[in-house]
């Protein structure tokens, strides 16, 4: 199992805000940003440190710094954009690439409309971000695309995951690590996560 679920009272608290249909767009965006930062904190626990020598006001010392530019954050448009600020607040020098996908309303299959990733993506750790993992179709298409570009180290950060989506990633790409805030019950007849939080993109951008 390559999945890590944030298990913390503060996360439950923040999810209660996101799940509440009466939460405003502004508040929704703020909380998505906060949870994204906490997911990033967990997802970089294995980051390698480069030795550096610095001088404190008191003494010289050797310590470590993360090569943030070895990371590429890849939001799946649109909803993934809502997580980018939380991540670059924590890792300001991470590169950002974009993949545009939407889920066709009838087939539920992802349709690609945009793809632009940083140079030398094959040498970076790609952190795909999207608040929702439902059928797994969108993230699967993203992973396939990145692997085709030679990316070897891929992590996926999401807020609400359905067991069906986790299963799809783990069976096709067991090497990809999944970090999520919560795993919900499953998908409803319209392939929405239940209880979930609704349409993440619409709630982040106030489009409905
Ligand atoms: C949502 C969500 C994911 C996808 C998840 O995007 O943000 O990208 O659906 O579903 P899946 O796991 O079944 O592929 P949507 O297609 O609604 O587009 P949007 O972000 O533009 O709203
Ligand atoms: N996309 C969303 O935004 N929400 C879901 O529950 C499923 C897909």
């Amino acid at each position: 199992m390559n999945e890590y679920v944030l298990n913390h009272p503060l996360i439950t608290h923040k999810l209660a805000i996101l799940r509440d249909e009466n939460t405003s767009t502004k508040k929704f965006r703020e909380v998505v940003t906060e949870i994204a930062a906490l997911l990033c904190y967990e997802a970089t626990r294995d980051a390698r440190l480069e030795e550096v020598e610095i001088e404190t006001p008191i003494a010289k010392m050797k310590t470590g710094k993360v090569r943030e530019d070895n990371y590429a954050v890849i939001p799946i448009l649109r909803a993934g954009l809502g997580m980018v600020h939380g991540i670059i607040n924590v890792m300001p020098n991470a590169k950002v690439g974009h993949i545009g996908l939407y889920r066709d309303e009838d087939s539920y299959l992802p349709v690609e409309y945009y793809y632009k990733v940083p140079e030398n993506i094959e040498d970076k750790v790609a952190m795909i971000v999207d608040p929702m993992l439902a059928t797994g179709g969108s993230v699967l298409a993203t992973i396939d695309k990145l692997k085709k570009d030679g990316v070897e180290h891929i992590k996926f950060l999401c807020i609400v995951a359905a067991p069906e989506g986790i299963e799809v990633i783990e069976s096709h790409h067991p090497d990809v690590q999944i970090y999520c805030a919560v795993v919900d019950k499953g998908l409803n007849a319209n392939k929405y996560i239940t209880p979930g939080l609704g349409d993440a993109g619409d709630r982040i951008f106030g489009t409905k």
Side-chain angles (χ1 to χ4, degrees):
M1 296 282 265
N2 233 346
E3 102 210 37
Y4 182 92
V5 185
L6 295 186
N7 201 356
H8 195 288
L10 280 176
I11 293 293
T12 308
H13 174 94
K14 290 179 192 304
L15 282 168
I17 298 170
L18 291 187
R19 291 182 189 281
D20 187 339
E21 64 179 359
N22 293 313
T23 296
S24 69
T25 301
K26 177 175 183 287
K27 186 70 185 172
F28 192 90
R29 243 186 245 140
E30 286 168 4
V31 174
V32 165
T33 299
E34 288 169 3
I35 296 180
L38 295 167
L39 284 165
C40 179
Y41 174 81
E42 279 307 329
T44 50
R45 202 172 270 287
D46 61 353
R48 267 179 296 149
L49 290 171
E50 199 173 66
E51 192 176 85
V52 291
E53 192 166 294
I54 57 161
E55 269 188 75
T56 79
I58 311 296
K60 274 192 179 171
M61 71 174 288
K62 286 191 172 144
T63 181
K65 283 193 171 176
V66 172
R67 282 288 308 273
E68 294 176 10
D69 58 349
N70 278 346
Y71 284 83
V73 186
I74 314 286
I76 301 179
L77 308 182
R78 286 174 305 168
L81 282 178
M83 295 175 68
V84 173
H85 278 104
I87 307 234
I88 59 178
N89 280 347
V90 182
M91 288 210 302
N93 294 309
K95 308 289 181 192
V96 182
H98 297 86
I99 181 160
L101 292 175
Y102 68 87
R103 211 170 66 150
D104 181 83
E105 285 185 4
D106 299 316
S107 69
Y108 307 113
L109 292 173
V111 182
E112 185 185 319
Y113 58 88
Y114 188 76
Y115 183 73
K116 175 92 180 167
V117 292
E119 274 183 354
N120 306 322
I121 186 73
E122 65 279 7
D123 299 329
K124 300 190 189 299
V125 178
M127 289 209 298
I128 303 169
V129 299
D130 190 324
M132 309 305 278
L133 171 62
T135 65
S138 305
V139 70
L140 213 58
T142 306
I143 295 168
D144 286 343
K145 193 95 184 161
L146 289 170
K147 284 195 173 175
K148 220 173 259 170
D149 273 356
V151 183
E152 289 178 3
H153 302 289
I154 301 179
K155 293 169 186 271
F156 174 53
L157 281 56
C158 65
I159 296 182
V160 185
E164 293 90 330
I166 293 176
E167 164 69 28
V168 162
I169 301 180
E170 288 184 342
S171 58
H172 287 78
H173 298 287
D175 55 305
V176 171
Q177 295 167 315
I178 307 168
Y179 297 83
C180 61
V182 70
V183 180
D184 269 8
K185 238 187 287 166
L187 302 177
N188 69 12
N190 295 322
K191 309 279 188 211
Y192 267 75
I193 301 174
T194 178
L197 47 75
D199 187 307
D202 282 337
R203 299 199 63 191
I204 289 168
F205 296 108
T207 37
K208 262 190 192 151

